Amino acid sequence: MLKKVIFYTLFGLLLSGFQFTFAADTASEAKSCSKETAAHRDQRLKWWRQGRFGMFIHWGIYSVPAGQWQGKSYNGAAEWLMNYAGIQVKDYEPLAAQFNPTEFDARQWVSLAKAAGMKYIVITSKHHDGFCMFDTKYTNYDIMDATPFHRDVLKELADECHRQGMPICWYHSIMDWHHPDYLPRQKWDQRSPDGADFSRYVTYMKNQLRELVHNYGKIGVLWFDGEWQDTWTSQLGDDLEAYVRSLDPNIIINNRVGKRKQDNGDFGTPEQEIPATGIPGHDWEVCMTMNDTWGYRQGDNNWKSPAQLIHNLVDIVSKGGNYLLNVGPTSQGLIPQPSVERLQAIGKWLQTNGESIYGTGASCFAALPWGRCTSKPGILYLHVFDWPADGKLIVPLLKNKIEQAYLLGDPARSNLSVTRGDQSLEISLPAGAPDPYDSVVVLQIVGEPIVVTAEAATVSSENK
Ligand code: FHN
C-alpha cells in the first residue's frame, strides 16, 4: 500500500504541481439500491417538483481570465477557456493563485435567489477544468490550498442555504481536464497518457462525492455533467448512480450521471432550449443562461429580457418542467448587475403570481395563441402574454362547469364574466393588461379539465 501511495504521489507530482490522493476509501461502497416504490419516489421528488424554479451558478477560477487569454478574447463559454485556448495544465493552474473573491457574500447570494422566487440553488463544485471549489482532502487543487482565499465557499453557501431554508445542490463534472488519471487527453493537452488509470480517477471522483454529500448537511440534487466522452460508459453511470444513492437514498440525481438515457437518474436536462411539447411522463428541467455564457465572460452583454425570462419560466412550467436559470459570478465574487436586475424583475412578478407556478402541473390545452396555461386540481391559470385589444379572451371550449374567473393580481378577485359559446369560452377582461409581462387569469372549474375538441364542438353546434 505504502509503495502504491508513493508511486501515485510521484506520478501525480510529475504531471502537475498539484497532488492527488488515490486511497480507495470508498470505491466498493456502492450497495445495490432496492427497487424504489413510486410512492417513495414521489415523496423524494416532491420539493423539487413543487419548486419549479432554481438558480444555477457557474463559478470557478475561469472567472479570472473571464474569456480572455494572452490578450485574445474567446467567444463562447468562459468555463471552456482552457479548451478553446488550448491552455496546458501547468499554464492554467496559476489562475488559482489569482482567485481571491473577497466580495463573496453567501447571505447576499441566497437572499437574491430567494427574492427572485427561486426554490433551490445548484452550484459548480467542480467544472471540466478540474478545480475544486470546496475543501477536499483528495487534492490540493482546491479553493482551500491553491488560492489566497482559503475559504470553503460551498460550505458558506450550504450553511446559509440551510439557515434560509433553501435547498442546496451540487453540479459536478465527470470530465476533468486536470486530473492525471482522467482520460482521454483532450486534443490540445500535451500531457502523456502513459500510466493514467481511469478507474483510479473514478475512485477519486467517488471519494470527493462522498465529501460533497456528507460534509455539507442535506444536499438536494447532484447535477452531473461532462459525461459524453467514451471513457464514461453506461455501466459506470449506473454504478455511480447506485453509489450516490448509497450515500443518500433521498438525493435527486440528473440524467447526466449516465449517458442521458430515459432511465438514467431522476430527471431529463434539456439545455438552452425548451422542448416543444415538454417530455410527457418524465421529470425534466431546462437549464439556461441569461446571456450566452455559463461562467462569467467579460463583454458578454447579450442579455435576455425580463419578459423573455418570465415567458420561458411559464412556458416550461406549462409543459410540466422546471427552470434552472444561470448566473456567472465574477472573480471578485459578485453576481453581475444585469443578472441581479433580471432576477429582481422575475421575483417581483412571482410575488403576485407565484401561485400560478409553484406546485402547478402542465396545460390541458395543446396551444394558446395569447399565452400559456398552468394547472392545479380545479384551477386553470391562464397566462396572458398578449392582452386582447377587444378585451375578449378566447379559451378553447371546456365541458366543465365554470365556478369563477378573476385576475390573480386583483386582491378583490372581482368576477370576470365567462360566456360559453359553441366553439369556445369568452372571458371579458378589463381594458388594459394589469402586468407588462404576463397577466394571469384564474379560471376555477369543477373537476378535471375536459377540453372539447374543435371537431366535437362543430358537430354538437350543427346538431343543435
Ligand atoms: O460543457 C458544459 C457547459 O460548460 C455548462 O456547464 C453546461 C450547463 O449545463 N453543460 C455543459 C454543456 O452541455
Side-chain angles (χ1 to χ4, degrees):
M1 180 61 180
L2 181 59
K3 269 209 229 68
K4 217 169 157 187
V5 173
I6 293 168
F7 167 72
Y8 294 142
T9 314
L10 286 174
F11 170 68
L13 280 175
L14 281 175
L15 282 173
S16 82
F18 288 90
Q19 290 165 348
F20 303 86
T21 312
F22 303 120
D25 291 8
T26 58
S28 57
E29 201 174 277
K31 292 183 284 309
S32 60
C33 290
S34 56
K35 190 91 190 71
E36 181 183 38
T37 63
H40 183 271
R41 178 182 156 75
D42 286 345
Q43 187 50 40
R44 186 167 57 82
L45 269 80
K46 192 160 180 241
W47 69 267
W48 184 85
R49 289 173 177 161
Q50 171 81 18
R52 290 287 177 222
F53 186 35
M55 176 183 271
F56 211 176
I57 305 177
H58 276 71
W59 197 34
I61 61 176
Y62 41 77
S63 60
V64 171
Q68 324 266 326
W69 189 253
Q70 296 172 343
K72 186 169 176 239
S73 174
Y74 291 82
N75 280 338
E79 72 283 359
W80 272 69
L81 184 68
M82 188 176 179
N83 182 297
Y84 289 161
I87 308 171
Q88 298 309 308
V89 165
K90 63 178 175 40
D91 301 323
Y92 188 87
E93 286 172 338
L95 288 173
Q98 300 168 50
F99 185 69
N100 192 15
T102 51
E103 306 288 326
F104 169 67
D105 179 339
R107 179 166 299 188
Q108 218 179 58
W109 286 18
V110 178
S111 303
L112 177 66
K114 208 158 187 169
M118 293 164 147
K119 299 300 184 185
Y120 56 99
I121 294 177
V122 182
I123 184 167
T124 49
S125 61
K126 186 195 80 166
H127 203 267
H128 308 332
D129 65 356
F131 184 78
C132 300
M133 293 291 283
F134 61 104
D135 183 8
T136 173
K137 69 176 181 188
Y138 296 102
T139 177
N140 52 12
Y141 190 50
D142 70 352
I143 196 165
M144 299 305 285
D145 304 308
T147 77
F149 197 57
H150 305 307
R151 282 166 49 190
D152 185 340
V153 292
L154 295 198
K155 178 90 175 80
E156 295 178 23
L157 205 59
D159 291 350
E160 184 58 25
C161 279
H162 299 322
R163 199 183 70 79
Q164 296 201 34
M166 171 77 82
I168 181 72
C169 316
W170 304 138
Y171 165 110
H172 198 77
S173 176
I174 291 166
M175 184 162 64
D176 189 318
W177 299 327
H178 182 271
H179 195 285
D181 284 316
Y182 180 85
L183 294 169
R185 291 278 182 268
Q186 310 304 306
K187 60 186 183 316
W188 40 270
D189 190 343
Q190 294 154 3
R191 294 175 306 166
S192 156
D194 298 353
D197 173 349
F198 194 74
S199 70
R200 224 174 21 232
Y201 169 72
V202 176
T203 301
Y204 164 82
M205 181 169 59
K206 284 182 173 178
N207 286 334
Q208 290 200 316
L209 289 169
R210 197 189 73 262
E211 294 177 315
L212 287 166
V213 175
H214 286 173
N215 297 358
Y216 296 87
K218 173 61 188 154
I219 302 303
V221 174
L222 252 184
W223 212 100
F224 286 102
D225 199 11
E227 81 298 341
W228 51 80
Q229 300 200 302
D230 298 347
T231 41
W232 191 252
T233 62
S234 289
Q235 172 51 42
L236 286 169
D238 295 346
D239 174 64
L240 185 63
E241 183 173 344
Y243 172 71
V244 172
R245 294 200 192 286
S246 74
L247 296 174
D248 176 359
N250 287 314
I251 204 163
I252 298 175
I253 303 172
N254 72 343
N255 68 342
R256 299 185 188 189
V257 66
K259 306 302 268 186
R260 300 190 199 190
K261 290 209 288 316
Q262 288 288 7
D263 60 357
N264 287 151
D266 296 305
F267 63 93
T269 53
E271 177 168 320
Q272 301 285 51
E273 57 166 15
I274 302 174
T277 55
I279 309 177
H282 292 276
D283 292 287
W284 53 282
E285 173 198 72
V286 168
C287 58
M288 194 182 283
T289 55
M290 271 197 227
N291 54 6
D292 295 332
T293 316
W294 300 97
Y296 175 70
R297 189 168 77 79
Q298 209 178 327
D300 179 355
N301 297 313
N302 185 22
W303 300 101
K304 296 173 179 72
S305 67
Q308 184 58 60
L309 296 170
I310 290 170
H311 290 180
N312 286 350
L313 171 63
V314 173
D315 183 21
I316 290 165
V317 174
S318 77
K319 294 166 177 172
N322 277 30
Y323 193 28
L324 188 65
L325 188 56
N326 185 75
V327 297
T330 66
S331 59
Q332 288 78 33
L334 297 172
I335 293 177
Q337 193 50 29
S339 298
V340 171
E341 287 156 12
R342 283 155 181 75
L343 291 173
Q344 289 167 340
I346 299 170
K348 185 164 174 296
W349 183 83
L350 280 167
Q351 247 158 31
T352 304
N353 302 290
E355 174 192 327
S356 69
I357 295 292
Y358 305 125
T360 62
S363 173
C364 55
F365 302 115
L368 296 166
W370 38 260
R372 297 289 184 277
C373 171
T374 57
S375 62
K376 280 179 185 166
I379 306 177
L380 298 179
Y381 297 96
L382 308 175
H383 294 260
V384 186
F385 297 168
D386 309 319
W387 198 254
D390 62 2
K392 295 188 173 60
L393 189 70
I394 306 304
V395 179
L397 194 56
L398 291 166
K399 261 218 172 95
N400 310 70
K401 178 172 177 304
I402 306 298
E403 296 258 319
Q404 190 194 5
Y406 59 90
L407 285 166
L408 188 52
D410 171 12
R413 297 189 167 197
S414 328
N415 198 40
L416 300 172
S417 73
V418 181
T419 313
R420 180 178 294 277
D422 289 345
Q423 309 272 342
S424 62
L425 298 173
E426 185 185 286
I427 303 177
S428 306
L429 300 177
D435 188 279
Y437 304 131
D438 170 5
S439 304
V440 181
V441 174
V442 179
L443 191 62
Q444 290 181 337
I445 63 174
V446 177
E448 283 302 302
I450 305 166
V451 181
V452 181
T453 58
E455 301 70 44
T458 313
V459 172
S460 74
S461 62
E462 278 154 6
N463 296 348
K464 277 209 181 119

